[in-house]
Amino acid sequence: MTGNTPDGPTAPPLDAGPRRSSPATLEDVARAAGVSLATASRSLNGSSRTVNADYRSKVLDAAARLNYSPNLSAQAVARGSTMTVALVVADITDPYFSSIAAGVVAEADQGRLIVTMAATERDSERELEIVRTLRGQRPKVIILAGSRREGDPSQAALKSELEDYERAGGRVVLISRNELGFRTVQIDNASGASALAASLVELGYRRFSVLTGNRELKTAADRLDGFTAELERAGIRVEADRVVQSAFTRDGGYEGMQTLIAAGLQPNEAVFAVNDVMAVGALSALRDAGLTPGADVAVAGFDDIPTVQDVWPTLTTVTVPLVEVGRTALRLALEDADAAAVSAGSPVATSVVVRDSTPRRA
Amino acid sequence: MTGNTPDGPTAPPLDAGPRRSSPATLEDVARAAGVSLATASRSLNGSSRTVNADYRSKVLDAAARLNYSPNLSAQAVARGSTMTVALVVADITDPYFSSIAAGVVAEADQGRLIVTMAATERDSERELEIVRTLRGQRPKVIILAGSRREGDPSQAALKSELEDYERAGGRVVLISRNELGFRTVQIDNASGASALAASLVELGYRRFSVLTGNRELKTAADRLDGFTAELERAGIRVEADRVVQSAFTRDGGYEGMQTLIAAGLQPNEAVFAVNDVMAVGALSALRDAGLTPGADVAVAGFDDIPTVQDVWPTLTTVTVPLVEVGRTALRLALEDADAAAVSAGSPVATSVVVRDSTPRRA
DNA sequence: CTGTTAGCGCCTTCAG
DNA sequence: CTGAAGGCGCTAACAG
């Protein structure tokens, strides 16, 4: 039980090395360069003011020699603003969110911004709490991915929290649906779902079910509505008992499909899962029930996450440029009000991709 | 071209609201509570010192009333240290990394830590650059997921950069393989691959190929070595031309399998892809070539990312508790040297899961 | 226990 | 163009 290391030859020297050499400060650099603090600051960090080229290079030298790196916290305090963008998602392992995150991160480092990340685990109270603690960071931007819930009591609190934040100069961007009155990267869920419905009808399907996830999620509701609206236009009604609610996750899709199967599948039926992870779960449920997805029952999803091209059958879905959505969100946040008013107007383009999970019916 | 908003009734009021009400400062709180700055600080933020209960509650009241939120940057400057943990991954959309990230994030908010994220895009020069700019944040912890490259020239620079960082009081944790002499969450890639090989042999396979990704990646190399070593123990040699290199990604797996197919598949062959995303790509390549994975050729992967249970056939693989690895990484970083020496010693447990992609051979 | 007072590292007027 | 000085929000000795 003593502190000796119990492992092999590659054990790291956890406690080696000299003690605490703190990073060089601007003052160190200034002194080393023989100039004042102000001059050092001006030549190192982007000041609009010009500095004698001589001094300037002396400072740059000294900085390099001392391996100087400006303390961002100190800069933030002095400047009164940070270079941080805070991203809050429901679940990082969900490809929907990780794709968006990738976009945000990619765009961020083109602007020397730092992105911090938090996960709500799909709990809107946690989301509120997260946004509250986020304030401490004084981020320049807050991006909220993942959709709001219908009639959620914490929504009002969230909204006012975000409004306070904007009033203090911050910028919030929502992804998916413009519900709270902030800038948002709109995804036209309803019309995407409508287009999908139209495609399925064209392929010869006449009987439909939908795995609608949590119907209180506005995204889910919009997709369901768009889908059924188009079907009605085509004279097709989807029975109330063929719309099943479950979690907005892979397992939710799996379970939803199980209840559909238990209720009895219809001949030539197509089931629309309101997102791809659910659809993928649904495929597995079919298989585990001894059915062949595609042949026995068609399945379609929404989002076009990367994995749907590797499941079998490959999944028919509605493409959403998720990574681009992430980039756009950050860009939108950084624009000034006028430009943002314009760009926030048009939803990102979606399109349906027909793959093997919805073969044409004779 | 004017600034009017070109969209529907739900257009957000992008420029509404009163101007710039900055957040309350500690001083505001102190004044409102009628106490000194110091007292306010002591009762609000975790000081070891005690404060008169009366004053204390006055301060708490005032803080609540003013909706006070401590400025973390200012705290960082004053305290000389941040609450930030920086996570650098290769690619956020890769389930391997997003699972780890989820673990880090989950663990972080149990400790009121903030996690920032950056992506190297699998470019080790970018990784070095990222670590360098990370210094500005003065993070308490840097976690590097994604493995080093054999003989990479920037490795030395990275190492010394990280050493400087530790010398300044920071803590670095590596994931996967202990190569640079820092704390690391070890994943026993070699023995996991050996166990997998043993299982496959037991299932009746005698001919093998491996999709080895980028062989310069130590993780890939270790898995390859462990796999072939076990086979040799069983008296089986894998021909040099049956080990194909390609990218360490889904597409790499796809392409690798294509070249394997082109070179001619062997009867009852099993191909080991050194990670799951590659294996999944390989499955698709087989299918696109008109073959049936599992029946025509067995496939196995490594990592046990979530999606491998939803592909068909479900994938035989080596389970790595990725989310837990993320949590462990952060925990390890926060431990003191003695404790860390102990925990860093033992690799996380892996185990092989046999699924449908490697049916038993007669 | 409380308040005063230096800083922390950096930026930014403001005089020279 | 340069340097001195004040300030950003907060913490931590240091006296009372």
Side-chain angles (χ1 to χ4, degrees), chain B residues 294-311:
Chain B
D296 291 332
V297 18
V299 176
F302 203 117
D303 287 339
D304 200 29
I305 61 176
T307 59
V308 300
Q309 305 193 40
D310 290 312
V311 297

Side-chain angles (χ1 to χ4, degrees), chain A residues 36 39 42 49-52 55 77-78:
Chain A
S36 76
T39 302
R42 292 197 268 252
R49 309 190 39 172
T50 62
V51 174
N52 178 308
Y55 282 164
V77 175

Side-chain angles (χ1 to χ4, degrees), chain A residues 241-254:
Chain A
D241 64 337
R242 300 306 287 174
V243 176
V244 357
Q245 291 198 50
S246 52
F248 204 59
T249 61
R250 183 268 178 201
D251 289 349
Y254 188 96

Side-chain angles (χ1 to χ4, degrees), chain B residues 10-26:
Chain B
T10 55
L14 290 176
D15 43 11
R19 258 304 157 268
R20 286 289 178 138
S21 96
S22 346
T25 71
L26 222 210

